[in-house]
Amino acid sequence: MFEQSQTTESRLPYYEYTGPMEQSPNDHRQHRLIRLPNGMTVLCTHDPQAESAAASLTVNVGKTLKAAALQTNVSLADEVCKFYDMYYSARIMKLAVVGNHTLDQLTEWAVSKFSAVQDKGDTSLKLDSHPLGPNELGKVIFYETLEDSNKITLVFPVPNAESKYRQLVD
């Protein structure tokens, strides 16, 4: 249920979700779900209490990847670039843009800044089997916050894979 639209200022194309969106009565922010022409999904959130607008994409490579690169005498930067070239595709990315600006302004920024991300199709990693069983699949959980808080913690039942590591690195 995405309908074609365009930004107010630059007249850039995007698709806006027009279906129902459930929202907690304690969430007083305004939301707009859009899809960019390159397939990236973006949630724009107008939060009057936000101090500024923010959008981020984080890749946590940390010490483990660095140590592994040093041990194999491979450039960490080269490996990160290879990973990026292989797997980063707009179609599998999700972006959240939050700020005290209007939804139109947040949408303008999202469309103008992120539409250039290349769409390489579905490059997501495929697992041999699904980590969730019949007891976990097919459940829809609705929740309503008890306080004026916008936080949720999700815990996924993924088995510990440490025994499958070739080497443990701190």
Side-chain angles (χ1 to χ4, degrees):
M1 287 197 249
F2 283 86
E3 290 184 11
Q4 189 164 8
S5 189
Q6 60 185 1
T7 61
T8 307
E9 207 174 296
S10 303
R11 304 307 225 191
L12 297 170
Y14 69 94
Y15 301 88
E16 184 171 350
Y17 180 73
T18 57
M21 288 178 56
E22 290 192 33
Q23 186 170 334
S24 166
N26 295 329
D27 183 2
H28 302 293
R29 300 170 301 168
Q30 296 173 323
H31 305 279
R32 177 181 290 162
L33 183 64
I34 65 172
R35 182 164 293 137
L36 305 183
N38 59 9
M40 184 184 296
T41 303
V42 181
L43 179 64
C44 298
T45 300
H46 166 71
D47 184 352
Q49 297 177 349
E51 293 181 20
S52 61
S56 71
L57 176 65
T58 302
V59 179
N60 186 5
V61 293
K63 283 173 72 176
T64 302
L65 185 55
K66 182 177 180 182
L70 289 172
Q71 286 178 343
T72 57
N73 203 22
V74 174
S75 163
L76 177 61
D78 289 346
E79 290 303 306
V80 170
C81 288
K82 279 188 216 173
F83 186 86
Y84 175 87
D85 289 340
M86 186 177 298
Y87 295 110
Y88 275 54
S89 174
R91 188 170 307 190
I92 65 169
M93 291 181 175
K94 308 295 183 257
L95 173 67
V97 181
V98 180
N100 58 7
H101 302 277
T102 65
L103 283 176
D104 286 344
Q105 182 64 67
L106 296 170
T107 300
E108 180 81 37
W109 288 337
V111 175
S112 66
K113 302 295 183 193
F114 292 93
S115 289
V117 175
Q118 187 178 3
D119 177 18
K120 301 174 189 170
D122 183 359
T123 59
S124 57
L125 297 171
K126 307 294 186 249
L127 300 174
D128 293 337
S129 62
H130 201 288
L132 303 177
N135 292 330
E136 295 85 20
L137 291 174
K139 290 185 181 177
V140 177
I141 300 171
F142 296 95
Y143 71 96
E144 185 174 317
T145 57
L146 299 175
E147 299 175 7
D148 190 17
S149 174
N150 299 317
K151 295 179 184 177
I152 184 171
T153 301
L154 302 175
V155 179
F156 295 93
V158 178
N160 185 339
E162 275 188 14
S163 65
K164 300 194 186 321
Y165 293 174
R166 284 189 215 151
Q167 179 177 354
L168 292 176
V169 182
D170 26 60

